[in-house]
């Protein structure tokens, strides 16, 4: 089985997982019992009929329990392989990676996942790392990234019932999403990505809808979530509780939906704004937050890596943002100057004296003209990427937008991408809000995926707009087995409107050029 196309799931079980978990506050006898049960072959039964075909198990952590974990894992590994389910052994940083790899090979695992692995091995190894230290240059079938976030409105990412909603720099509710990071990641590597994050802990109730949101948040960014369930969800599946089984069915259906559209992972943003950076060191933090800030404002952008080479053609890009404080390489400077001379607009934190000064009263930028375009250079350095974007946004015209969304203020997930050959385009909309009664776990009708899943629509008035007129448009939802028609209307001032139906969580408009 190709790991790049697999559906992985975090599978916590056994003595090593117990040794790690029992040190944490709130570890209960029930949690221990579930970890013991999931270490046995019968625990795999609920996977029957689901798209999950790869287990990510705890394998080595540099603890005394490593050996017992690996020995006792043998029946589970054998049962998984009988079901054509791959098993990947997760190796923590403190473990002896070479010994762990050798043990994984001997035990018949499919691969081992090792932090920052860059060496050679006669056994498949998946390198993993945190966002800011990802092993982008590793030669592997997939790269696994940790340090990601559970998607949702901050403060209510899990349950939506209690707790204050956190506000961001814009004073609007802060949205946790992995979409912006996936854009940066795709600029750094063409290798398929596994994105790891766990549900909120500390007893928070996680509705079934949130698990579907977690799937969508990663998939619309072109990655793959390593499915991770909370303790209560695992307990419910172990006991074959109907609400948990229903929740699992809903989660599986979301995964299966995107598995039917594998080509979408190769699509890339066609926004009119581009962020250019080498994303190294502090530049990762600053320029990554630029991408994050733009996405929060529903400003569609492309992310381009400064690799010391000339940039690809900046077709349809109206504005380039470059906040790296160092001078660009000769190749990058050549690309950007050619872009400006042909009519482009460059906003930069630092720049040489290219072009002619232009009389302008802008208090934040020094304006220069070059060919048919302009260069705006920040007058004062700012350590705040949100401030940089806010200032730059005053210079950017929405008249350049390739797509817009109206009357969908409850969304937050809005992407517009194109296929590599330019023959198809895809507009995706994801709601991060949890609607409907219940949605929690622990009572009748409140289990994940049961009666409490919630069906109140995001909006019955939402409208999408595209600058280009497409030959055809199809509408997909997670619940649809086939695409539906969408109401289309030409705009008097140009572009095309698409009147969207009521949606519960996610929809996509699939365009043919």
């Amino acid at each position: 089985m190709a790991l790049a196309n697999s559906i992985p799931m975090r599978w916590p079980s056994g003595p090593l997982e117990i040794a790690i978990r029992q040190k944490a506050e709130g570890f209960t006898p029930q949690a221990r019992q579930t970890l013991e049960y999931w270490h046995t072959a019968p625990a795999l039964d609920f996977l029957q009929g689901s798209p999950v075909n790869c287990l990510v198990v705890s394998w080595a952590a540099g603890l005394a329990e490593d050996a017992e974990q690996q020995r006792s894992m043998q029946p589970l590994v054998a049962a998984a392989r009988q079901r054509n389910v791959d098993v990947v052994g997760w190796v923590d940083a403190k473990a002896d990676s070479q010994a762990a790899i050798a043990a994984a090979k001997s035990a018949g695992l499919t691969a081992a996942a090792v932090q920052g692995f860059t060496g050679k091995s006669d056994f498949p190894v998946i390198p993993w790392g945190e966002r800011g230290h990802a092993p982008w240059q590793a030669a592997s079938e997939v790269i696994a990234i940790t340090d990601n976030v559970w998607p949702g409105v901050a403060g209510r990412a899990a349950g939506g019932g209690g707790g204050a909603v956190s506000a961001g720099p814009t004073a609007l509710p802060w949205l946790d999403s992995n979409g912006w990071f996936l854009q940066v990641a795709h600029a750094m590597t063409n290798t398929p990505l596994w994105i790891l994050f766990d549900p909120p802990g500390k007893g928070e109730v996680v509705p079934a809808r949130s698990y579907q949101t977690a799937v969508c948040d990663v998939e619309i960014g072109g990655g793959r979530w390593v499915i991770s369930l909370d303790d209560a969800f695992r307990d419910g599946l172990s006991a074959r509780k109907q609400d948990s089984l229903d929740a699992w069915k809903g989660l599986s259906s979301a995964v299966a939906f995107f598995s039917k559209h594998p080509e979408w992972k190769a699509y890339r943003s066609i926004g009119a704004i581009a962020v250019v950076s080498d994303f190294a060191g502090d530049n990762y933090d600053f320029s990554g937050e630029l991408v994050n800030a733009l996405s929060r404002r529903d400003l569609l952008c492309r992310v381009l890596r400064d690799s010391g080479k000339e940039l690809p053609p900046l077709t349809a890009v109206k504005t380039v943002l470059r906040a790296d404080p160092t001078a660009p390489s000769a190749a990058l400077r050549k690309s950007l100057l050619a872009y400006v001379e042909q009519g482009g607009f460059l906003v930069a934190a630092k720049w040489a004296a290219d072009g002619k000064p232009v009389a302008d009263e802008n208090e934040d930028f020094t304006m220069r003209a070059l060919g048919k375009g302009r260069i705006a250079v920040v007058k004062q350095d700012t350590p705040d990427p949100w401030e940089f974007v806010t200032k730059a946004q005053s210079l950017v015209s929405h008249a350049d937008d390739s797509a817009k969304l109206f009357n969908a203020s409850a969304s937050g997930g809005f992407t517009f991408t194109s296929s590599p050959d330019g023959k198809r385009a895809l507009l995706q909309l994801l709601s991060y809000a949890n609607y409907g009664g219940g949605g929690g776990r622990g009572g009748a009708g409140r289990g994940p995926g049961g009666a409490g899943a919630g069906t109140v629509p995001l909006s019955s008035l939402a409208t999408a707009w595209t600058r280009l007129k497409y030959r055809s448009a199809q509408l997909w939802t997670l619940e649809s087995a086939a695409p539906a028609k969408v109401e289309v209307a030409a705009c008097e001032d140009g572009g095309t409107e698409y009147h969207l139906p009521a949606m519960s969580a996610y929809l996509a408009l699939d365009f043919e050029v």
Side-chain angles (χ1 to χ4, degrees):
M1 182 186 301
L3 289 171
N5 298 320
S6 65
I7 309 297
M9 179 176 179
R10 184 77 174 87
W11 195 267
S13 70
L16 178 56
E17 195 73 36
I18 291 172
I20 295 172
R21 291 282 304 277
Q22 67 185 2
K23 298 177 183 178
E25 182 181 353
F27 185 66
T28 65
Q30 178 63 46
R32 181 187 186 98
Q33 182 178 343
T34 300
L35 293 174
E36 291 172 345
Y37 175 71
W38 276 47
H39 211 53
T40 65
L44 299 173
D45 288 348
F46 78 86
L47 294 180
Q48 185 68 33
S50 82
V52 172
N53 53 20
C54 179
L55 307 183
V56 179
V57 301
S58 296
W59 188 247
L63 299 178
E65 290 79 7
D66 287 1
E68 177 61 18
Q69 175 80 357
Q70 295 165 14
R71 185 200 65 77
S72 61
M73 184 73 71
Q74 293 177 5
L76 181 67
V77 172
R81 299 306 292 265
Q82 288 178 353
R83 295 170 179 261
N84 293 319
V85 173
D86 285 333
V87 180
V88 174
W90 189 267
V91 181
D92 284 346
K94 295 181 180 180
D96 182 335
S97 60
Q98 291 301 324
I101 292 171
K105 179 180 180 181
S106 177
L109 272 62
T110 307
V114 179
Q115 185 175 24
F117 185 83
T118 57
K120 295 182 179 181
S121 174
D122 60 354
F123 182 72
V125 176
I126 298 173
W128 67 267
E130 294 182 351
R131 283 180 172 185
H133 305 281
W136 301 126
Q137 306 308 317
S140 59
E141 192 173 353
V142 297
I143 294 175
I145 308 296
T146 63
D147 193 33
N148 301 293
V149 299
W150 183 263
V153 178
R156 294 185 179 175
V165 174
S166 300
T170 61
L172 297 173
W174 178 259
L175 176 68
D176 286 327
S177 172
N178 300 290
W180 72 267
F181 170 74
L182 282 161
Q183 280 194 273
V184 174
H186 289 308
M188 303 298 288
T189 182
N190 292 321
T191 303
L193 301 170
W194 282 4
I195 302 299
L196 288 92
F197 54 86
D198 297 321
K202 299 181 180 180
E204 290 192 50
V205 176
V206 184
R209 174 67 52 76
S210 289
Y211 283 99
Q212 288 190 325
T213 299
V215 172
C216 296
D217 180 72
V218 176
E219 289 286 346
I220 65 178
R224 175 135 291 161
W225 179 38
V226 179
I227 298 168
S228 179
L229 310 181
D230 66 11
D231 287 345
F233 202 161
R234 290 197 298 269
D235 291 345
L237 289 173
S238 300
R240 302 299 188 267
K241 293 181 178 179
Q242 191 60 49
D243 57 359
S244 294
L245 293 173
D246 289 342
W248 176 250
K249 183 178 179 180
L251 190 161
S252 297
S253 67
V255 174
F257 170 83
F258 288 101
S259 295
K260 295 176 183 177
H261 302 279
E263 71 280 4
W264 290 357
K265 285 189 180 297
Y267 287 22
R268 294 296 177 262
S269 175
I270 47 178
I273 301 173
V275 175
V276 178
S277 173
D278 61 12
F279 295 102
D282 291 341
N283 292 341
Y284 162 75
D285 293 325
F286 196 96
S287 292
E289 280 300 313
L290 289 186
V291 181
N292 190 3
L294 290 167
S295 68
R296 294 297 177 271
R297 291 167 166 80
D298 280 340
L299 292 170
L300 302 171
C301 75
R302 314 179 193 193
V303 180
L304 302 174
R305 180 192 175 197
D306 174 9
S307 61
K309 301 178 181 179
E310 292 187 25
L311 296 175
L314 299 175
T315 307
V317 172
K318 302 300 182 181
T319 304
V320 170
L321 304 181
R322 183 181 185 272
D324 290 6
T326 55
S329 63
L332 177 61
R333 182 171 176 271
K334 178 181 178 182
S335 292
L336 292 178
L337 290 179
Y339 161 76
V340 174
E341 287 175 342
Q342 294 168 11
F345 181 37
L346 170 65
V347 181
K350 297 277 187 177
W351 198 258
D354 294 297
K356 298 180 180 180
V358 175
D360 193 286
E361 296 181 357
N362 191 296
E363 62 181 18
D364 297 316
F365 297 92
T366 298
M367 309 299 296
R368 307 185 71 85
L370 181 66
K372 298 179 181 179
R374 297 179 299 157
I375 300 174
V377 183
V378 176
K379 291 180 178 179
Q380 294 183 344
D381 292 339
T382 172
D384 185 358
W386 288 85
E387 183 179 348
F388 185 96
V389 166
T390 300
K391 291 178 178 179
Q393 190 174 357
S394 67
L395 304 173
V396 177
S397 172
H398 279 283
D400 296 328
D401 289 344
S402 54
K404 299 178 185 178
L405 193 64
F406 304 100
N407 299 324
S409 58
S411 64
F414 172 46
T415 64
F416 191 42
T417 56
S418 174
S419 61
D421 61 8
K423 294 182 179 180
R424 302 199 73 87
L426 183 70
L427 187 151
Q428 297 181 89
L429 175 60
L430 172 62
S431 170
Y432 289 88
N434 288 307
Y435 292 87
R441 190 179 294 110
R446 290 186 56 80
T455 57
V456 176
L458 167 71
S459 173
S460 58
L461 300 174
T463 299
W465 173 91
T466 61
R467 177 172 301 283
L468 296 179
K469 180 180 180 181
Y470 293 98
R471 182 162 51 177
S472 66
Q474 296 180 323
L475 185 143
W476 292 93
T477 66
L478 295 180
E479 299 79 17
S480 60
K485 294 182 179 180
V486 61
E487 183 181 347
V488 181
C491 300
E492 294 182 0
D493 54 351
T496 306
E497 284 188 350
Y498 307 87
H499 301 291
L500 306 179
M503 59 171 277
S504 58
Y506 166 91
L507 63 76
L509 288 175
D510 184 12
F511 301 108
E512 183 180 7
V513 176

